[in-house]
Amino acid sequence: MASEKGNLLVAQGGGPTAVINQSLVGVITEARKYPSVDKILGAKHGVKGIMDETFLDLTNLPSRHLEAIAQTPASALLSTRHKPKEDDCRKIFEVFKKYNIRYFMYIGGNDSSETCCILNKFAKAENYELCLIHVPKTIDNDLMENDHCPGFPSAAKYVAQAFVGINLDNKSLPGIHLVVVMGRHAGFLTAASAYGRKYEDDGPHLIYLPERPVSPDKIANDVKKVYEKYGRCLIAMAEGVEDENKEPMLQRIMKDMQKKELAKDAFGNIQLSGTGALGDAIIEEVIKKQLDPEGKKKLRARADTLGYPQRSFLGCVSEVDQREAREVGEKAVQFAVGLGKTGSVAIKRIANYAVNYELVDLELVGGKTKHMDDKFINDEGNDVTPAYIEYLRPLIGELPPYEQLQAPIYKQ
Amino acid sequence: MASEKGNLLVAQGGGPTAVINQSLVGVITEARKYPSVDKILGAKHGVKGIMDETFLDLTNLPSRHLEAIAQTPASALLSTRHKPKEDDCRKIFEVFKKYNIRYFMYIGGNDSSETCCILNKFAKAENYELCLIHVPKTIDNDLMENDHCPGFPSAAKYVAQAFVGINLDNKSLPGIHLVVVMGRHAGFLTAASAYGRKYEDDGPHLIYLPERPVSPDKIANDVKKVYEKYGRCLIAMAEGVEDENKEPMLQRIMKDMQKKELAKDAFGNIQLSGTGALGDAIIEEVIKKQLDPEGKKKLRARADTLGYPQRSFLGCVSEVDQREAREVGEKAVQFAVGLGKTGSVAIKRIANYAVNYELVDLELVGGKTKHMDDKFINDEGNDVTPAYIEYLRPLIGELPPYEQLQAPIYKQ
């Protein structure tokens, strides 16, 4: 196949990140170096764009424009959540034939890697010659085989900087502050909230992760203890946290409310991102009800849901993340076009700090979820360990400096 | 008074900002230059710290530490929402006498400026010699007499950068995205969401401000129009937006829900920040109900509430804001100690771009609210004008660059 000319197609799937366009530009610039690549095409909106034949010709874009795109957050080729079924595959391969696509690079997370598995099986069954590479990205950091995933370090940096600020804010005007962080199945991003802690009393004081189911009562007790110690409490909670029966926390609280014949909530759906319902429910139904049931203490309790800025905020990027996101795109082309291979590019940490890029079997990554290692979570299941901070250090790098005021007390 | 030595007291009130510690450090470093200032004291938690006599001695802090504090978001001296009553004033002036406080610099927003008025009246009535200066800060940008307020440009920059990212995210995965921005009475911060727009289809496509009451029906119709045009819609909404009868929007929607005998909502309180209730209610009760009443279209609709990172995110600061926040602190000391005056420091724009600092009567600022000028809001009341972008330009400066992919369509 390397002897015959073919076209290379690149697309992006799933949630955007701050550096997903670095991978796109890595693919484009690397593919230009290979004479066996005729056209470099981009499909709009991921696999949907293949079915619709909405292709862009990326072969001859100006280098300056490409560098500007690399710096731009979110998916420049636009994205999709569509998972192709049998009929879709048939359509996709008709289009592949029509456009002589021989290399396909799909930049995406868990769902997109599953799409790659589906397409690869179909290609084999149809005996269609295709080098297919899954290029990793996800702010959730939960792709198997990877030490970490492009997109995660930048999102983690955003979360860390947000928590430094919220901690100082919460110290200025004390109270209970719950902050909900993205992460349905894995707690890596929520756990990054601890990265900026510096002084003994710095929050987050409690961190709840999908890896450690927790009862509403345990949360209320934990908060009470911290509040009694510091007169305030900052909590980081993953949106995907579950109760002691592994039921999504929001669903559980809604159920409790009905049991007590409280009004049914109109927002009680299990959509997790793009809503403040989980944070509000925990504050109202767990924390206020247990710590201030009569409302007499006028407990200052707030919930923030960090929301979409976590993955797309302009101007908060990890340099290591930018570089690695570029390199996984370049490596994808080298594996596919240079070596005629199919698989998923994986980041391996080989030193503190250096990485190596390997190509692993698609099936080892596709649709699977990696969870936080036990060694990263404390015994009580409500904080991270120093080992996790060390894991993050090279990925996030230095945060902007901050200090708490150190001045002698003055008495007349 | 300038002939006799006295102590200078500084404190911070209200919500923190990213640059409020610049003003604190401006006060401290300037006060050191005056031989008539004996001690430079800081009260913890604003006026509460005066009543409790929790003072810190700031006279001899190392310069390096002061510069680090200046860079740190949130109130280094800690803050309060307490407004002093008659008895509190009596206590405060007892403490002033005991500690020989002759200069008091209170860094804060609308409520803190009102506190300054109260204390000044008390000082006059008691014939207590005090030079009292209100040092302006508020992310809401709603202090009278000021072209703009320290803290606002940095918060506006954060909002602008968040919206550039959310716009690109929303373009990648199209749908309706509502983003709630801080601002109870004034829309300046919400309106800053428009600052990063560059391409014709960039959002926010609709901006709702406290200055322009709007009915839920009008919102739904506006959203429908934009959605039909672009296949997506990004909306910026001030938390303090009101309906056509000037009732807070959240309260109005909750009322509508009860009328229709829908379940009463457990989160239906009128607390605006630190909850996602307003965003969720608009999405569920206004937008989905009107655009997709049967739920058949599976309309992708999300709400984000930007929350506390708007005022305290580490590492997103306007340089002009840092400089001016420092200078209002320095000027406060010059007015009080150098000239023996009392009043509120106000920023006047004297050129594009240069400012002058004036001392205005406390009563002109105290407890009052400035609203957005009519010329900054479009006729339909759902967007800003180019004049507002020009107003913001020197305050926010350049944003990190971004580009949309420009590539030719490819057809076989």
Side-chain angles (χ1 to χ4, degrees):
Chain A
M1 195 164 67
S3 57
E4 212 178 297
K5 277 210 170 200
N7 292 326
L8 180 144
L9 179 68
V10 58
Q12 296 171 314
T17 80
V19 298
I20 189 171
N21 295 327
Q22 290 281 359
S23 300
L24 172 65
V25 172
V27 166
I28 296 170
T29 53
E30 190 68 16
R32 285 176 172 183
K33 299 177 185 165
Y34 288 87
S36 53
V37 173
D38 191 6
K39 291 275 175 201
I40 304 164
L41 302 180
K44 283 170 86 168
H45 289 298
V47 287
K48 275 187 73 178
I50 307 175
M51 295 187 275
D52 304 340
E53 298 178 47
T54 49
F55 291 132
L56 299 174
D57 186 350
L58 310 174
T59 319
N60 296 309
L61 298 185
S63 300
R64 192 215 54 79
H65 181 51
L66 283 177
E67 288 309 320
I69 293 297
Q71 302 287 333
T72 298
S75 312
L77 280 175
L78 312 182
S79 194
T80 183
R81 295 268 183 210
H82 187 78
K83 192 202 278 190
K85 302 189 183 54
E86 183 77 18
D87 276 1
D88 299 330
C89 287
R90 214 173 309 282
K91 176 68 187 160
I92 286 168
F93 278 87
E94 273 172 31
V95 175
F96 277 3
K97 267 174 217 162
K98 181 175 170 189
Y99 284 81
N100 192 30
I101 305 296
R102 295 296 162 181
Y103 312 103
F104 178 42
M105 320 276 113
Y106 203 28
I107 308 165
N110 313 56
D111 292 341
S112 305
S113 61
E114 201 177 343
T115 293
C116 289
C117 289
I118 294 168
L119 294 179
N120 190 44
K121 273 182 205 149
F122 200 92
K124 278 188 183 162
E126 298 281 305
N127 222 359
Y128 181 85
E129 275 195 273
L130 179 74
C131 297
L132 190 164
I133 308 278
H134 166 242
V135 186
K137 78 85 211 161
T138 171
I139 65 161
D140 294 333
N141 204 36
D142 59 353
L143 290 173
M144 293 297 283
E145 296 287 324
N146 287 271
D147 175 76
H148 60 279
C149 307
F152 168 70
S154 296
K157 188 176 181 183
Y158 177 89
V159 168
Q161 290 182 199
F163 268 86
V164 170
I166 294 172
N167 171 60
L168 292 166
D169 196 309
N170 179 249
K171 200 175 152 78
S172 298
L173 287 169
I176 292 166
H177 200 125
L178 171 72
V179 182
V180 178
V181 182
M182 279 182 170
R184 197 176 277 263
H185 303 297
F188 294 99
L189 192 59
T190 305
S193 60
Y195 185 68
R197 288 191 303 212
K198 184 168 159 178
Y199 298 89
E200 187 274 333
D201 65 337
D202 275 348
H205 309 99
L206 297 166
I207 301 175
Y208 298 106
L209 307 163
E211 283 82 354
R212 294 288 183 272
V214 59
S215 69
D217 282 350
K218 160 83 174 145
I219 295 173
N221 283 333
D222 284 356
V223 170
K224 203 173 163 212
K225 265 189 235 164
V226 173
Y227 192 74
E228 282 167 1
K229 184 170 179 190
Y230 295 118
R232 65 187 188 101
C233 182
L234 175 57
I235 309 139
M237 180 174 286
E239 60 183 11
V241 79
E242 294 171 337
D243 77 355
E244 67 275 31
N245 307 312
K246 302 207 173 182
E247 187 176 9
M249 189 60 80
L250 182 61
Q251 192 169 292
R252 155 64 178 273
I253 294 168
M254 293 302 154
K255 225 187 247 177
D256 279 1
M257 284 166 71
Q258 282 171 296
K259 249 189 242 164
K260 292 187 218 151
E261 296 194 74
L262 277 172
K264 194 182 169 187
D265 181 272
F267 316 138
N269 56 46
I270 298 305
Q271 174 201 326
L272 291 172
S273 294
T275 164
L278 175 62
D280 289 348
I282 301 263
I283 287 290
E284 293 298 325
E285 297 302 319
V286 179
I287 291 173
K288 281 192 180 170
K289 285 230 165 119
Q290 292 225 23
L291 272 74
D292 189 15
E294 319 274 303
K296 280 182 188 160
K297 295 182 205 160
K298 294 197 176 162
L299 193 66
R300 187 176 181 271
R302 299 284 185 268
D304 267 332
T305 303
L306 289 187
Y308 289 83
Q310 291 168 91
R311 68 187 195 193
S312 59
F313 188 79
L314 181 73
C316 181
V317 188
S318 146
E319 281 178 35
V320 165
D321 196 19
Q322 287 184 303
R323 188 179 72 212
E324 293 179 348
R326 179 71 70 111
E327 289 175 351
V328 292
E330 293 170 353
K331 293 305 288 186
V333 173
Q334 292 171 15
F335 284 125
V337 187
L339 302 171
K341 290 191 174 175
T342 280
S344 181
V345 179
I347 300 183
K348 306 288 183 180
R349 192 186 297 219
I350 57 168
N352 193 15
Y353 179 78
V355 296
N356 197 15
Y357 304 101
E358 292 180 9
L359 195 72
V360 301
D361 197 288
L362 283 173
E363 299 291 333
L364 295 176
V365 179
K368 295 187 167 59
T369 300
K370 184 177 148 182
H371 296 284
M372 284 182 76
D373 199 306
D374 285 346
K375 73 174 184 232
F376 290 155
I377 306 174
N378 74 343
D379 290 342
E380 235 194 301
N382 61 10
D383 205 340
V384 299
T385 60
Y388 187 64
I389 303 299
E390 287 317 306
Y391 164 83
L392 289 178
R393 200 173 300 285
L395 308 184
I396 298 180
E398 286 291 312
L399 296 187
Y402 78 96
E403 292 191 14
Q404 287 188 9
L405 183 63
Q406 303 299 320
I409 289 169
Y410 185 81
K411 280 277 173 206
Q412 193 86 15
Chain B
M1 195 162 68
S3 56
E4 213 179 297
K5 276 211 171 199
N7 292 326
L8 181 144
L9 179 69
V10 58
Q12 296 172 314
T17 80
V19 299
I20 189 171
N21 295 328
Q22 291 281 357
S23 299
L24 172 64
V25 172
V27 165
I28 296 170
T29 52
E30 191 67 17
R32 286 177 172 183
K33 298 177 186 166
Y34 288 87
S36 52
V37 173
D38 190 5
K39 291 274 174 201
I40 304 164
L41 303 180
K44 283 171 89 168
H45 288 298
V47 286
K48 274 186 71 179
I50 307 176
M51 295 187 278
D52 304 339
E53 297 178 48
T54 50
F55 291 131
L56 299 174
D57 185 349
L58 310 175
T59 318
N60 297 310
L61 298 186
S63 299
R64 193 215 54 81
H65 181 53
L66 284 177
E67 287 309 319
I69 291 298
Q71 302 287 332
T72 298
S75 312
L77 279 175
L78 312 181
S79 194
T80 183
R81 296 268 183 211
H82 188 77
K83 191 202 278 190
K85 303 189 184 55
E86 183 76 20
D87 275 0
D88 298 330
C89 287
R90 214 173 310 281
K91 174 69 188 161
I92 286 169
F93 278 88
E94 273 173 31
V95 174
F96 277 2
K97 266 176 219 162
K98 179 174 169 190
Y99 284 80
N100 192 29
I101 305 295
R102 295 295 163 184
Y103 311 104
F104 177 43
M105 320 277 112
Y106 203 29
I107 309 166
N110 313 56
D111 292 341
S112 305
S113 62
E114 201 177 342
T115 293
C116 289
C117 289
I118 295 168
L119 294 179
N120 189 44
K121 272 183 205 149
F122 200 92
K124 279 187 180 164
E126 298 281 303
N127 222 2
Y128 181 85
E129 274 195 274
L130 179 74
C131 297
L132 190 164
I133 308 278
H134 166 242
V135 185
K137 78 83 211 164
T138 170
I139 66 161
D140 295 333
N141 204 36
D142 60 352
L143 290 173
M144 294 297 282
E145 296 288 324
N146 287 270
D147 174 76
H148 60 277
C149 308
F152 168 70
S154 296
K157 188 177 181 184
Y158 177 89
V159 168
Q161 291 182 198
F163 268 85
V164 169
I166 295 172
N167 171 60
L168 293 165
D169 196 308
N170 180 249
K171 201 175 153 78
S172 298
L173 288 170
I176 292 165
H177 201 124
L178 171 72
V179 183
V180 178
V181 183
M182 280 182 168
R184 197 176 276 262
H185 302 297
F188 294 100
L189 192 60
T190 305
S193 60
Y195 185 69
R197 289 192 303 215
K198 183 168 160 180
Y199 298 90
E200 187 275 333
D201 64 338
D202 276 347
H205 309 98
L206 297 166
I207 300 174
Y208 297 106
L209 308 163
E211 283 83 353
R212 292 291 183 272
V214 60
S215 69
D217 282 350
K218 160 81 174 147
I219 294 173
N221 283 332
D222 284 356
V223 170
K224 204 173 163 213
K225 266 189 235 165
V226 173
Y227 191 74
E228 281 166 2
K229 184 171 179 188
Y230 295 118
R232 66 187 186 101
C233 183
L234 175 57
I235 309 138
M237 181 174 287
E239 60 183 11
V241 78
E242 294 172 336
D243 78 355
E244 66 275 30
N245 306 312
K246 303 207 171 181
E247 188 177 7
M249 188 61 78
L250 183 61
Q251 192 170 293
R252 155 64 178 274
I253 295 169
M254 293 302 154
K255 224 186 248 177
D256 279 2
M257 285 165 71
Q258 281 171 295
K259 248 188 243 166
K260 292 185 220 156
E261 298 194 72
L262 277 172
K264 195 181 166 186
D265 181 280
F267 316 138
N269 56 46
I270 298 304
Q271 173 200 327
L272 290 172
S273 294
T275 162
L278 176 61
D280 289 348
I282 300 263
I283 287 290
E284 293 299 324
E285 298 303 319
V286 179
I287 291 172
K288 281 193 179 170
K289 286 231 165 121
Q290 292 225 23
L291 271 74
D292 189 15
E294 317 275 300
K296 281 182 189 160
K297 295 181 205 163
K298 294 197 175 163
L299 193 67
R300 186 175 181 271
R302 301 284 186 268
D304 268 333
T305 302
L306 290 187
Y308 289 84
Q310 291 168 91
R311 68 186 195 193
S312 58
F313 189 79
L314 180 73
C316 181
V317 187
S318 146
E319 281 178 33
V320 165
D321 197 19
Q322 286 184 304
R323 188 179 72 213
E324 292 178 350
R326 178 73 70 113
E327 289 175 352
V328 291
E330 292 170 355
K331 291 305 288 187
V333 173
Q334 292 170 16
F335 284 124
V337 187
L339 302 171
K341 289 189 174 177
T342 281
S344 180
V345 179
I347 300 183
K348 306 288 184 181
R349 192 186 298 219
I350 57 167
N352 193 14
Y353 179 77
V355 296
N356 198 14
Y357 303 101
E358 292 181 8
L359 193 72
V360 300
D361 197 289
L362 283 173
E363 298 291 333
L364 295 176
V365 179
K368 294 188 168 60
T369 299
K370 184 177 148 182
H371 296 283
M372 284 181 78
D373 199 306
D374 285 344
K375 72 174 184 232
F376 290 156
I377 306 174
N378 74 343
D379 291 342
E380 235 194 300
N382 59 10
D383 205 342
V384 300
T385 60
Y388 187 64
I389 304 298
E390 287 317 304
Y391 165 81
L392 289 178
R393 199 173 301 285
L395 308 184
I396 297 181
E398 287 291 312
L399 296 187
Y402 80 96
E403 292 191 15
Q404 287 187 9
L405 183 63
Q406 302 300 318
I409 289 168
Y410 185 80
K411 280 278 172 204
Q412 194 85 17

